[in-house]
Amino acid sequence: MTDANGSDLRVSEAELAMPTERRLVLAAERLFAERGIDGVSLRAVMAAAGTNVASVHYHFGSKEALVEVLIRQRSDEVAARRTALLDEMEQTGPVTVRQLAEAFARPVWEMAIGDGAAWVKFIAGVVGSGHPALSLVAEGFTEQAVRFMALLTAAVPELPGPTARFRLAQAMTLTFQVLGDVHRTQDLMAISGLRLSPDQVYAELVDVVTAMLSGPPA
């Protein structure tokens, strides 16, 4: 079972030693990233994970519950990383808009270049398609959004509340769109003759998010 690029979507040899529940999550993550939630059956997930046909129902109860676990597990990791970054930034003084952009994007970037690349692509697909699972993604960001709003308002006091909320929502969409498929972003830029390394893609993204958050209100 492969993706459009010919990459194997099944669990690796190392993953076969993991608990069944974890293997199912990783298999679902890869399949959902490539085909979308609605394009993947539970049978396909179980086949990719190398488990029996009853395993998803035993461990999760339903496809919806599997999707929820998949979203929340890594969302919690991103949230924890953002909290740590903001805590560190606040220790040195008022947080700047650029620091906010860094705290927002860097955890997703670290996930995208690490073992969570499929998850970032999966979330990008959910956000881009408006799939009902988007409500779970939003819930995972709700608590942190309050902190980001407070810090953004302090950094740009003239920015109206509704405008700040809109910009944070767009920052999330852009971050996942760009980092959900870094290679596609590189290919798109290469068409115009601009060849960016993955690190340069991230740096440009932070610049854009900074401008998005700090630009003058209409």
Side-chain angles (χ1 to χ4, degrees), residues 63-83:
K63 183 178 180 179
E64 290 73 19
L66 171 61
V67 170
E68 181 173 356
V69 169
L70 195 162
I71 290 174
R72 293 192 186 281
Q73 283 186 351
R74 292 203 192 268
S75 290
D76 289 346
E77 293 179 37
V78 169
R81 179 66 173 132
R82 281 179 174 153
T83 296

Side-chain angles (χ1 to χ4, degrees), residues 4-6 11-12 15 18-19 24 35-36 53 65 72 97 104 137 160:
N5 297 316
V11 293
S12 65
E15 290 169 352
M18 296 178 181
L24 287 165
R35 305 174 187 174
V53 295
R72 293 192 186 281
V97 177
F104 194 94
V137 178

Side-chain angles (χ1 to χ4, degrees), residues 84-161:
L85 287 171
L86 291 174
D87 287 346
E88 180 181 338
M89 291 170 179
E90 287 188 299
Q91 288 176 3
T92 61
V95 178
T96 66
V97 177
R98 184 169 184 83
Q99 285 179 314
L100 278 178
E102 284 272 5
F104 194 94
R106 193 190 307 174
V108 182
W109 165 245
E110 292 170 346
M111 190 75 71
I113 61 173
D115 65 359
W119 181 83
V120 177
K121 185 174 183 178
F122 160 60
I123 297 297
V126 171
V127 173
S129 67
H131 190 278
L134 180 58
S135 62
L136 294 173
V137 178
E139 285 175 17
F141 182 59
T142 298
E143 184 176 339
Q144 280 199 330
V146 174
R147 187 176 185 183
F148 272 96
M149 275 289 296
L151 291 170
L152 181 57
T153 301
V156 192
E158 67 274 17
L159 200 62

